[in-house]
């Protein structure tokens, strides 16, 4: 049997393959029109199913490798990316196996980029074959070329930053559904740190989680009896989602509860209502309240409608507005830019900058005409207001000349700052295998980025938790 140490030796002494660069280029992938597409079709009639799988997965890897190196906001070498993928992949076959690149980094750095790509593609070609053979020799069940490449790509994307990821076909489809406002699960917004339980940030109204009694700030320690501390957020979401009417058991700890609590929930098709509105009556006038759950597709239209309905309310229009983006994880850049436009009378809203500070595309600019006619505006935030939520808060806080060098909105926060995610992810399909979310730029709204620092509220407050009566009313 080839053990990890033997495999390590083989890798170390392996000479560079003498494959013509033209062959590898034709067998790799091209990045076109925002999609990573495979190229270099082969005659599949003369190949076995396993050989076809190997060929397609190899092309997938090279295409993603090339795309990530070209588009990532931070510069990463082919060597760094490929070695991360290879080391994760070979551990599927033998946890002790290690890949060692014998070529000195300085010598490799002086090669033209295409030669660097070809070298690491050749090495991946070899290692992929060897890893499959090693898995069979070690009697590791269920190892396919597809599984090996998926493992390598997940490790490669995960190594870039917390928001870049590779999704297989099933995961990609679920992500697409979520952006359309639908998913199959129990309806909890989550956050998770490495090695820690899962925190319930928001429990959606009239959903399985709320009906079962799960509360905001509950800490989920086990899912179906499996501890979650060592799982990443993708693995957690995968366990929570599933076919409607199937069940999942949660074990949670809760402040002021001495013992863990167990809940059994039946999954449902969750239709996300991303915008909620209501009129708040006060002694000083009426306040239009709009809560944005997430910046999914077409949410700008729902905000437009909410404003129109509040402005035309039979009891009279509001004298001021509150926009609530607490626990809003973000979403689509164009949607938040359009929503910010509702409250501004011109001026720049969002600028994105790629690697090296290059401005990406055309900056978003607000049109003339404030839809709420200059009325007072407050944006509510907390530490879980992230990404697109921070764009909205930052651009409305930005001082503008036409406002007398003041911000359009007052930011009121429950925490010292918002989440601190100022990066832009591009969704790139790897047809037909799934896709990648890749961090390609940082955004500035319009001059500052909240990356790693967040948006500091103008006023910090501590808001009381909802009462038991309010929770019961939401669950109806």
């Amino acid at each position: 049997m080839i053990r990890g140490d033997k495999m390590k030796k083989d890798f170390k002494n392996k000479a560079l393959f003498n494959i013509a660069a033209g062959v590898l280029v034709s067998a790799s992938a091209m990045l076109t029109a925002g999609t990573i597409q495979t190229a270099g079709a082969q005659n599949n009639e003369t190949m076995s199913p396993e050989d076809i799988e190997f060929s397609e997965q190899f092309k997938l890897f090279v295409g993603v490798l090339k795309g990530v190196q070209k588009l990532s906001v931070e510069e990463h070498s082919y060597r760094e990316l490929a070695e991360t993928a290879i080391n994760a992949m070979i551990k599927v076959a033998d946890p002790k196996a290690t890949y060692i690149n014998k070529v000195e980094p300085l010598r490799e750095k002086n090669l033209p980029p295409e030669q660097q790509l070809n070298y690491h593609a050749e090495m991946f070609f070899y290692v992929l074959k060897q890893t499959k053979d090693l898995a069979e020799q070690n009697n590791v069940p269920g190892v396919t070329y597809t599984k090996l490449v998926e493992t390598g790509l997940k490790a490669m994307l995960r190594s870039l930053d917390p928001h870049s990821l590779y999704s297989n076909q099933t995961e990609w489809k679920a992500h697409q559904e979520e952006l359309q406002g639908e998913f199959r699960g129990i309806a909890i917004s989550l956050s998770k740190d490495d090695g820690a339980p899962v925190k319930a940030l928001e429990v959606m109204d009239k959903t399985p989680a709320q009906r079962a009694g799960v509360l905001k700030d509950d800490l989920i320690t086990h899912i179906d009896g499996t501890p979650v501390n060592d799982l990443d957020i993708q693995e957690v979401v995968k366990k929570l989602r599933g076919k409607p009417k199937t069940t999942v058991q949660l074990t949670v700890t809760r402040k002021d509860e001495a013992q863990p609590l167990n809940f059994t929930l039946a999954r449902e098709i969750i239709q996300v209502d991303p915008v909620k509105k209501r009129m708040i009556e006060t002694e000083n006038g009426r306040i239009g309240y709009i809560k944005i759950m997430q910046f999914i597709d077409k949410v700008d239209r729902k905000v437009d409608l909410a404003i129109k309905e509040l402005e035309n309310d039979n009891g009279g229009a509001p004298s001021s507005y509150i926009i609530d983006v607490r626990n809003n994880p973000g979403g689509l850049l164009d949607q938040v830019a359009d929503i910010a436009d509702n409250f501004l009378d011109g001026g720049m809203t969002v600028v994105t900058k790629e690697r090296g500070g290059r401005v990406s595309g055309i900056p978003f600019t607000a049109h003339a005409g404030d839809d709420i006619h200059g009325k007072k505006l407050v944006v509510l935030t907390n530490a879980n207001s992230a990404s697109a939520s921070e764009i909205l808060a930052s651009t409305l806080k930005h001082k503008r000349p036409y406002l007398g060098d003041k911000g359009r909105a007052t930011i009121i926060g429950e925490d010292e700052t918002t989440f601190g995610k100022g990066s832009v992810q591009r969704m790139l399909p790897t047809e037909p295998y799934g896709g990648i979310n890749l961090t390609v730029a940082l955004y500035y709204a319009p001059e500052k980025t909240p990356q790693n620092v967040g948006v500091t509220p103008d006023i910090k407050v501590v808001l009381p938790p909802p009462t038991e009566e309010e929770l019961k009313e939401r669950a109806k």
Side-chain angles (χ1 to χ4, degrees), residues 144-199:
T144 62
Y145 290 124
T146 300
K147 179 177 180 179
L148 291 173
V149 171
E150 179 180 326
T151 299
L153 290 179
K154 282 184 178 293
M156 180 202 297
L157 271 293
R158 194 166 52 239
S159 72
L160 302 178
D161 60 78
H163 310 293
S164 294
L165 58 92
Y166 171 77
S167 301
N168 61 31
Q169 193 171 24
T170 301
E171 295 164 343
W172 186 254
K173 183 180 178 182
H175 190 35
Q176 296 290 101
E177 289 176 349
E178 184 176 346
L179 286 174
Q180 296 300 318
E182 177 181 299
F183 61 91
R184 293 157 176 79
I186 59 174
I188 303 176
S189 296
L190 309 170
S191 72
K192 187 180 188 305
D193 295 326
D194 291 341
V198 177
K199 185 177 182 180

Side-chain angles (χ1 to χ4, degrees), residues 388-401:
S389 298
E390 296 173 285
I391 291 178
L392 186 65
S394 183
T395 197
L396 294 178
K397 182 181 180 180
H398 177 66
K399 296 177 180 178
R400 299 176 183 273

Side-chain angles (χ1 to χ4, degrees), residues 283-346:
E283 295 178 356
N284 298 318
R286 313 183 93 205
I287 300 174
Y289 172 86
I290 300 174
K291 181 169 180 60
I292 306 174
M293 302 290 292
Q294 194 170 356
F295 294 94
I296 61 175
D297 191 33
K298 299 178 182 178
V299 71
D300 57 339
R301 301 179 188 179
K302 292 182 177 292
V303 172
D304 288 347
L305 181 61
I307 292 172
K308 288 177 182 177
E309 290 179 349
L310 288 167
E311 284 291 304
N312 295 301
D313 187 82
N314 290 334
S319 59
S320 58
Y321 279 82
I322 294 173
I323 307 298
D324 189 348
V325 291
R326 289 174 298 170
N327 300 318
N328 183 324
L332 300 173
L333 182 64
D334 63 330
Q335 294 297 300
V336 68
D338 287 346
I339 290 170
D341 194 348
N342 288 320
F343 308 106
L344 294 169
D345 190 14

Side-chain angles (χ1 to χ4, degrees), residues 432-444:
Y433 303 106
I436 65 174
N437 281 39
L438 180 64
T439 299
V440 296
L442 297 181
Y443 67 76
Y444 294 76

Side-chain angles (χ1 to χ4, degrees), residues 210-258:
Q210 190 181 63
R211 289 194 292 269
V214 180
L215 299 180
K216 178 179 178 291
D217 295 329
D218 278 353
L219 297 178
I220 302 171
T221 60
H222 295 73
I223 301 174
D224 287 332
T226 301
V228 302
N229 283 17
D230 294 332
L231 302 180
D232 63 33
I233 193 69
Q234 260 195 306
E235 293 169 322
V236 169
V237 170
K238 189 174 181 179
K239 284 184 172 292
L240 292 176
R241 292 187 177 173
K243 294 181 179 179
K245 298 183 180 179
T246 59
T247 61
V248 59
Q249 187 176 69
L250 306 183
T251 302
V252 310
T253 60
R254 181 179 296 167
K255 187 178 179 181
D256 300 328
E257 292 285 350

Side-chain angles (χ1 to χ4, degrees), residues 85-104:
I86 289 173
N87 272 304
M89 181 179 73
I90 63 178
K91 284 178 169 52
V92 173
D94 187 338
K96 296 180 181 179
T98 304
Y99 169 69
I100 297 177
N101 187 342
K102 197 174 182 181
V103 176
E104 295 180 3

